[in-house]
Amino acid sequence: MTREVRVAVFRPDDERMVDAVELLESLGAIPVPDPMLAVEPTGNTPGADGGGPAGDAPSDPDVVVLTSKTGVELLAEAGWSPGGATLACIGPKTAAKAREAGWTVDVVPEEYTSAGLVAALEGDVAGRRIEVARSDHGSDVLLDGLREAGAEVHETVLYRLVRSEGSGQSAVMAAGGELDAVCFTSSLIVENFLDAAAERDVEAEAIRGLNAAVVGAIGAPTEETAEGYGVRVDVVPEEATFESLATAVVEEAAPTYHD
């Protein structure tokens, strides 16, 4: 039987947090919800059929890349559509939301990361115009990789990610040794967590608390960010999804023993 463990989760304060809490409870864990990100829409849309160009965006890109459900939702609300462009989505949840909006999804990479998107697209983008629509904290890996593959790349910032007001109680708990595990889903969340700890004058204590707990990072970039701050990462799932991360973290924190 799996013993209960207190797991901090930092998803935005919407259905993603609700789903994360339900998942952790189903795994036998005690969720500690502490939203670390809030979304501030910019009102921009990619320059494709059905949506106005943003800044110097090309009016008719050959490929549009979407990297989050949030981005899809904002574009759908704005009445945007990909028109005749090839539509690439970073993972199955983003793709499902895009199909729900009535769009045809042409590419979903095997690896749900920026590097995975580059690998899925790089063989067929030389000389093509690509519009990448995402948050203001997107990885340069995607833009640089597509440009190295010969594409003309433009980025549209759909929304800004800021730290949620009132966040940081989990940092105090970490400092007090009250957390058994945490699930970091982006480099920005790691930074926001430590900023919240610093604001409360417990950064060093919080890092020690994390290093006494099980720390999960959704992928290599998040792992590198955490370790750059002196936080040891124990778990990086093979699949870059929250479900895989949470499952691996809970199992690491409280292994299941069979009689």
Side-chain angles (χ1 to χ4, degrees):
M1 181 177 180
T2 304
R3 71 175 178 85
E4 289 187 328
V5 293
R6 290 160 297 185
V7 182
V9 56
F10 312 109
R11 306 291 275 169
D13 193 14
D14 54 25
E15 75 279 354
R16 284 168 289 189
M17 182 61 86
V18 173
D19 291 346
V21 166
E22 290 179 353
L23 174 63
L24 286 167
E25 288 176 340
S26 76
L27 294 169
I30 301 172
V32 179
D34 191 4
M36 283 285 168
L37 293 179
V39 173
E40 290 185 352
T42 63
N44 294 333
T45 57
D49 297 343
D56 59 351
S59 59
D60 54 348
D62 301 302
V63 181
V64 175
V65 176
L66 303 179
T67 64
S68 70
K69 288 173 57 180
T70 299
V72 173
E73 290 165 350
L74 291 173
L75 290 174
E77 289 171 6
W80 177 92
S81 76
T86 296
L87 182 60
C89 293
I90 198 166
K93 291 194 173 182
T94 304
K97 185 62 68 172
R99 294 186 183 106
E100 186 180 306
W103 310 335
T104 298
V105 177
D106 302 289
V107 178
V108 179
E110 291 184 11
E111 180 185 330
Y112 312 145
T113 64
S114 293
L117 271 170
V118 171
L121 294 170
E122 63 185 351
D124 192 35
V125 296
R128 303 182 78 189
R129 292 166 299 207
I130 299 182
E131 185 72 39
V132 177
R134 58 184 187 174
S135 79
D136 64 331
H137 280 81
S139 166
D140 288 338
V141 168
L142 179 56
L143 306 185
D144 293 344
L146 293 174
R147 288 179 178 132
E148 288 173 7
E152 174 190 338
V153 183
H154 180 271
E155 180 182 32
T156 295
V157 175
L158 301 176
Y159 56 98
R160 298 182 182 89
L161 292 171
V162 299
R163 205 176 97 209
S164 302
E165 186 176 348
S167 62
Q169 182 57 33
S170 61
V172 176
M173 293 179 68
E178 299 175 47
L179 292 179
D180 298 298
V182 299
C183 293
F184 286 127
T185 53
S186 73
S187 292
L188 181 58
I189 286 176
V190 174
E191 292 164 356
N192 284 353
F193 177 93
L194 294 174
D195 284 346
E199 285 180 2
R200 292 160 172 79
D201 296 321
V202 295
E203 183 175 10
E205 294 88 344
I207 290 173
R208 283 198 293 271
L210 291 178
N211 286 334
V214 171
V215 175
I218 201 164
T222 305
E223 178 186 21
E224 290 167 9
T225 298
E227 293 187 339
Y229 284 101
V231 177
R232 185 198 67 251
V233 174
D234 304 286
V235 174
V236 180
E238 290 187 11
E239 186 178 70
T241 64
F242 181 78
E243 290 85 350
S244 295
L245 174 64
T247 302
V249 163
V250 172
E251 180 64 19
E252 179 72 16
T256 301
Y257 295 99
H258 301 283
D259 294 331

